[in-house]
Amino acid sequence: MIHKITHSVMFHHFHNDKHLPSQGSLSGSDFTKMIDWLGKKYNLLNANTFKKKFLNQTLKDKDICLTFDDALKCQFDIAVPIMERYGIEAFFFVYSSAFSEHPDLLEVYRYFRTSFYDDMDKFYDEFFTCIKNRDEKGFSNHYLKFTNLNYLSEFPFYSLNDRWFRYLRDQYLDNKNYHKIMNYLMLKKNFNITLAKKNLWMTEKDLIKISNKGHVIGLHSYSHPTQMSKLKKSDQKLEYQKNHDHLTNVIKKPITTMAHPCGDYNKDTLNILNKMNIEIGFRSSMSIKRICSPLEIPREDNANVLREMKNKNN
């Protein structure tokens, strides 16, 4: 099934007096201006309408929707009330470990480097130094590979250090050593993980509320692996089955949509999702605009939208 080029806009972090500003986060004012700007340039559809038109192959080139990843509390506190004023219903892609006693620490680590360093590059300097001290030769060899790859070029808002950090995290370190380095840095700063977790994610009651408001809840895996394609097929299946079982139990509705964590997947992933009767899925970038299957709809990061808005206003 091949469709016309369309896409959605992808959101993650927001800030106000309760939620700290972080790299790439939007204020409520930013979000309101973005909705107005998108509404003038595109036909902004509600999630269920977008899904129906996509499956019926009646989407037009300028039809778009809004999507939110990771069930972040700041989305519920800031973005949801604004969308309610506009009458907009969006997709929310949720990973389930965030609701467990042992959530994946991706967001905790982000919060740590944002709130305990006054400059992101200071965190990167410490992180890079830890790796270099452990294996200077490996560090240098991988930097050469990294420079030849143009790694994550589809995210132009990432700095060189942003991309080098993500390369080391996802392509060089295994999970054990990555967590070991992060735990070492957090210990140095007396960072309290338990306190940090309290205001990062929505509650299950929040999920029920947004579902009842007409927003669409979809899969985003159980533990949010940054490299799903590196997992065995059986492990991928477990990621999505546990995610599916949790969400259907919470919202008491069928789950038929999803987004790939970090945009990473392979043929096994698509086969698993098809067998689970997932009808549409979203990538995390616009690097491939042609939609080759219903599970590979491109998304534009809100940071790119914000940059385009500013360029047009200058």
Side-chain angles (χ1 to χ4, degrees), residues 69-82:
D69 286 6
D70 302 340
L72 300 171
K73 184 67 172 179
C74 60
Q75 298 168 358
F76 183 82
D77 290 344
I78 301 169
V80 170
I82 292 172

Side-chain angles (χ1 to χ4, degrees), residues 238-256:
L238 188 60
E239 281 283 341
Y240 282 111
Q241 193 60 59
K242 287 172 67 178
N243 188 203
H244 181 273
D245 292 347
H246 168 248
L247 293 181
T248 52
N249 184 59
V250 171
I251 67 170
K252 310 301 182 185
K253 294 178 183 178
I255 303 292
T256 59

Side-chain angles (χ1 to χ4, degrees), residues 29-279:
S29 176
D30 292 332
F31 185 53
T32 299
K33 291 174 183 176
M34 190 172 291
I35 290 175
D36 290 337
W37 189 85
L38 289 168
K40 292 176 183 176
K41 187 173 181 180
Y42 298 99
N43 182 26
L44 186 50
L45 301 178
N46 285 336
N48 275 310
T49 303
F50 183 95
K51 177 189 167 188
K52 183 177 179 180
K53 292 184 72 174
F54 183 92
L55 294 174
N56 290 339
Q57 301 191 50
T58 57
L59 277 177
K60 298 179 180 178
D61 289 350
K62 290 193 174 183
D63 289 342
I64 65 168
C65 61
L66 305 185
T67 68
F68 296 79
D69 286 6
D70 302 340
L72 300 171
K73 184 67 172 179
C74 60
Q75 298 168 358
F76 183 82
D77 290 344
I78 301 169
V80 170
I82 292 172
M83 287 192 289
E84 193 165 5
R85 294 202 299 268
Y86 279 90
I88 295 172
E89 297 163 7
F91 290 99
F92 283 82
F93 299 115
V94 176
Y95 67 95
S96 296
S97 75
F99 301 86
S100 72
E101 292 184 4
H102 302 288
D104 176 79
L105 295 176
L106 183 72
E107 287 299 328
V108 173
Y109 291 159
R110 177 191 168 90
Y111 178 80
F112 164 66
R113 62 182 187 259
T114 296
S115 58
F116 276 67
Y117 292 85
D118 55 15
D119 186 308
M120 188 64 68
D121 287 328
K122 290 182 180 179
F123 162 76
Y124 289 142
D125 286 343
E126 289 195 18
F127 183 83
F128 299 154
T129 297
C130 285
I131 299 175
K132 192 174 182 179
N133 287 344
R134 293 170 68 250
D135 183 8
E136 185 169 358
K137 185 176 180 180
F139 182 87
S140 299
N141 288 341
H142 274 276
Y143 190 75
L144 287 176
K145 291 181 181 179
F146 165 75
T147 54
N148 291 327
L149 282 175
N150 203 16
Y151 191 69
L152 295 179
S153 59
E154 65 268 31
F155 300 99
F157 49 87
Y158 282 161
S159 69
L160 178 64
N161 277 345
D162 290 335
R163 293 189 289 114
W164 178 220
F165 164 73
R166 284 163 175 77
Y167 174 92
L168 289 170
R169 180 192 69 188
D170 298 336
Q171 306 299 332
Y172 174 58
L173 295 171
D174 57 26
N175 280 337
K176 180 180 179 181
N177 283 308
Y178 173 56
H179 293 315
K180 186 175 181 180
I181 290 171
M182 292 303 299
N183 286 334
Y184 166 74
L185 294 176
M186 291 190 298
L187 187 62
K188 279 180 62 178
K189 295 279 189 177
N190 294 317
F191 178 75
N192 188 316
I193 290 180
T194 303
L195 288 177
K197 289 191 296 187
K198 286 187 175 180
N199 200 37
L200 283 180
W201 293 288
M202 298 181 197
T203 65
E204 290 181 342
K205 288 183 179 179
D206 294 335
L207 290 183
I208 294 168
K209 286 179 182 178
I210 61 176
S211 177
N212 289 342
K213 289 177 185 289
H215 300 288
V216 176
I217 307 296
L219 303 181
H220 203 44
S221 78
Y222 182 81
S223 67
H224 200 295
T226 57
Q227 298 275 285
M228 181 69 73
S229 62
K230 290 185 176 180
L231 300 184
K232 295 185 296 184
K233 186 174 182 179
S234 58
D235 291 333
Q236 291 192 39
K237 183 177 181 180
L238 188 60
E239 281 283 341
Y240 282 111
Q241 193 60 59
K242 287 172 67 178
N243 188 203
H244 181 273
D245 292 347
H246 168 248
L247 293 181
T248 52
N249 184 59
V250 171
I251 67 170
K252 310 301 182 185
K253 294 178 183 178
I255 303 292
T256 59
T257 67
M258 65 81 61
H260 302 282
C262 298
D264 191 81
Y265 60 94
N266 58 17
K267 289 182 180 179
D268 285 341
T269 321
L270 300 181
N271 288 335
I272 290 164
L273 294 167
N274 279 320
K275 289 179 180 178
M276 293 177 67
N277 296 317
I278 302 303
E279 296 176 334

